[in-house]
Amino acid sequence: MEIQRPIYLDRLVKRRENGMAKVLTGIRRCGKSYLLHHIYGDWLRSQGVPESHIISVELDDIENAPLRDAQLLYEHIRSRTEGDGTFYVFLDEIQYVSGFSDVINGLMHRSNLDVYVTGSNSRFLSSDILTEFRGRGDEVRIHPLAFSEYLPAHGGSAVEGWVDYVTFGGMPLALMQSDDEMKASYLQSLFSKVYLSDICERNGIKHREALDALVDILASVDGSLTNPSKIASTFQSHGKKGVSDKTVKRYIDFLLDAFLVEEAKRYDIKGRKYIGAVAKYYYEDIGLRNARLNFRQQEENHLMENVIFNELRYRGWSVDVGVVGAREHGKSGRTQSKQLEIDFVANKGSRRLYIQSAFAMPDAAKERQEKRSLNLVGDSFKKIVIVKDAVKLWQDDDGIVTMGLFDFLLDATSWE
């Protein structure tokens, strides 16, 4: 099965020989190695780059265990890159190498090398490591398959593809399993035996019961406002009194570091500032979220919101939860202040989008409810309401665009 990932290929092509180490980050098994070795490697070959000038080292392969020594790895690459022309160096799962920043900095001093590395732990790209790269690290974040990448490989209609995608997500090897039972088994095993085991080993967690419970809680409250204190209270209500809010915060940071979940903070649009300690957490892959809950609690409206969040991140937008103030008359007749939510405030450079995930708008009352917060924003940036059913894209007198989910997911410029 050939899966195309054109948006990432374009990002790598644009960075070719830019004098920086291209660092592909993302959750394990999301397709970083396939993208680098096959999609990008094949593109280089199509441009006339000889095979001998593409040097690949897969550091998570036991056969390459000796090369996890920084000095041996450097000498190995140096010995294979003598000669004329540019050599393209692909280093998979670089976090296996202790002192890898020294290796990369050493390679970057050689003018005939174009270096690409992958890693599944965001800590290896933390601010101190970027400082060690001396400003020569260029991150390319890779996500599981977007719906537009998934659907051609799935082979069905958009409706058929959506049913599978919103259940089993976009992990490439899940898509390749032959039936639903094998897809579910693969995702559950991946979560427990790879991701959580990695987190425990990397962070010295000896008793993972609290971590197991935390990922279940975050899956259950997917897309709902919460914070470590609320989650710690949930632990205590279930008899786990030894789990403090500090422990919860630390474990959430571990999940963020491993790219299992992403955080969307609350942003006061009028005040132009982040507010409060609560945030929303979305799973990097909806199939992993569902697998964690044994495919229960699959409310399609919540899953759709998670997919839209992931789609925006895939397209390179930073995403917050918007808050806008409103004043309304209460039952007593007094005017009261109220905070209304906008599902997503997406920013990319000087561009901004406001998006509501509405699932359905069966009548005028529901339409007014969904658009109310958007109408209160008061700026000229694009405002969009996305509904599940196919609808003809239209813009109302206030400039708010209503569009169908599949149009949004399958065409990155459809809202324009």
Side-chain angles (χ1 to χ4, degrees):
M1 182 185 295
E2 189 74 21
I3 298 175
Q4 300 299 321
R5 311 205 73 177
I7 193 171
Y8 295 123
L9 176 59
D10 181 63
R11 289 172 184 171
L12 290 176
V13 170
K14 287 179 178 177
R15 289 167 168 81
R16 181 187 182 189
E17 298 180 32
N18 67 353
M20 305 178 77
K22 275 65 70 175
V23 187
L24 282 64
T25 63
I27 192 171
R28 290 189 70 180
R29 311 289 172 82
C30 73
K32 299 185 298 296
S33 298
Y34 184 85
L35 169 67
L36 189 58
H37 294 287
H38 296 280
I39 297 178
Y40 185 58
D42 287 347
W43 183 87
L44 288 174
R45 296 178 188 99
S46 75
Q47 303 302 301
V49 176
E51 192 68 41
S52 61
H53 281 231
I54 301 175
I55 313 301
S56 298
V57 182
E58 297 177 358
L59 291 159
D60 58 344
D61 188 331
I62 190 64
E63 290 186 0
N64 292 320
L67 296 180
R68 295 173 187 172
D69 177 88
Q71 188 63 41
L72 291 178
L73 177 61
Y74 179 80
E75 293 298 332
H76 172 77
I77 296 169
R78 188 187 60 79
S79 68
R80 296 184 60 188
T81 54
E82 300 289 348
D84 297 329
T86 300
F87 290 82
Y88 298 86
V89 179
F90 298 165
L91 302 176
D92 257 339
E93 304 297 351
I94 191 67
Q95 74 274 4
Y96 278 91
V97 179
S98 178
F100 65 82
S101 60
D102 290 335
V103 176
I104 295 173
N105 283 324
L107 297 177
M108 295 304 294
H109 283 114
R110 301 189 62 196
S111 61
N112 67 332
L113 301 187
D114 194 23
V115 179
Y116 301 76
V117 300
T118 76
S120 302
N121 173 13
S122 68
R123 286 187 173 187
F124 92 95
L125 201 68
S126 62
S127 58
D128 56 328
I129 294 298
L130 287 176
T131 299
E132 290 184 35
F133 282 176
R134 301 180 180 92
R136 300 179 72 180
D138 191 357
E139 183 183 13
V140 181
R141 174 69 187 277
I142 312 298
H143 300 271
L145 298 177
F147 188 61
S148 59
E149 299 171 321
Y150 176 93
L151 189 58
H154 178 275
S157 68
V159 173
E160 293 168 335
W162 171 256
V163 171
D164 283 343
Y165 186 77
V166 81
T167 303
F168 299 110
M171 298 300 289
L173 285 180
L175 172 60
M176 295 180 184
Q177 303 305 308
S178 59
D179 58 37
D180 290 357
E181 183 178 351
M182 292 187 67
K183 291 177 182 179
S185 177
Y186 169 76
L187 290 169
Q188 289 169 332
S189 176
L190 187 61
F191 206 124
S192 178
K193 296 181 180 179
V194 176
Y195 299 139
L196 293 188
S197 294
D198 276 358
I199 291 171
C200 289
E201 180 179 354
R202 185 183 309 135
N203 299 289
I205 300 174
K206 297 181 179 179
H207 305 288
R208 59 182 265 182
E209 293 84 358
L211 180 63
D212 279 313
L214 174 61
V215 295
D216 290 343
I217 292 171
L218 290 179
S220 295
V221 302
D222 185 60
S224 299
L225 289 169
T226 189
N227 61 23
S229 295
K230 288 184 179 181
I231 295 173
S233 296
T234 302
F235 275 109
Q236 293 170 13
S237 68
H238 288 80
K240 297 181 174 64
K241 299 186 182 300
V243 182
S244 67
D245 56 346
K246 291 182 179 179
T247 298
V248 171
K249 175 64 168 61
R250 188 161 57 93
Y251 282 11
I252 287 176
D253 286 343
F254 295 160
L255 298 175
L256 293 170
D257 281 343
F259 302 108
L260 262 176
V261 298
E262 287 208 46
E263 182 182 62
K265 298 178 180 179
R266 294 178 83 213
Y267 180 75
D268 181 347
I269 295 167
K270 294 292 184 68
R272 299 182 181 181
K273 62 182 179 180
Y274 289 101
I275 54 175
V278 296
K280 290 186 177 184
Y281 296 93
Y282 293 97
Y283 266 81
E284 173 75 353
D285 180 75
I286 201 67
L288 291 170
R289 178 265 179 197
N290 293 339
R292 189 62 202 180
L293 297 177
N294 291 317
F295 299 92
R296 300 187 296 268
Q297 299 182 36
Q298 290 186 246
E299 298 87 355
E300 193 174 4
N301 57 331
H302 294 302
L303 300 182
M304 172 178 154
E305 183 179 321
N306 199 143
V307 169
I308 292 172
F309 175 87
N310 290 346
E311 179 68 22
L312 290 167
R313 296 291 294 121
Y314 159 75
R315 295 179 186 177
W317 297 83
S318 61
V319 185
D320 298 312
V321 178
V323 176
V324 61
R327 297 186 69 81
E328 60 182 28
H329 293 291
K331 293 181 180 180
S332 64
R334 294 181 179 179
T335 301
Q336 298 175 327
S337 296
K338 186 176 182 180
Q339 289 186 328
L340 301 181
E341 184 176 296
I342 296 175
D343 289 328
F344 303 122
V345 180
N347 293 282
K348 185 193 296 186
S350 62
R351 304 170 69 195
R352 174 174 288 185
L353 299 176
Y354 298 104
I355 294 179
Q356 290 287 59
S357 174
F359 190 71
M361 292 195 300
D363 51 43
K366 179 64 172 176
E367 182 179 341
R368 286 193 300 272
Q369 176 187 335
E370 293 293 346
K371 292 183 176 181
R372 186 183 177 200
S373 58
L374 296 175
N375 279 317
L376 291 171
V377 171
D379 63 32
S380 60
F381 291 111
K382 186 70 72 175
K383 302 168 182 67
I384 304 170
V385 179
I386 301 173
V387 297
K388 164 66 189 310
D389 294 333
V391 297
K392 185 176 178 60
L393 185 147
W394 64 283
Q395 182 171 296
D396 67 16
D397 293 340
D398 296 313
I400 298 174
V401 172
T402 299
M403 65 186 303
L405 174 66
F406 296 157
D407 287 334
F408 176 78
L409 294 177
L410 296 175
D411 184 354
T413 62
S414 56
W415 52 270
E416 296 177 347

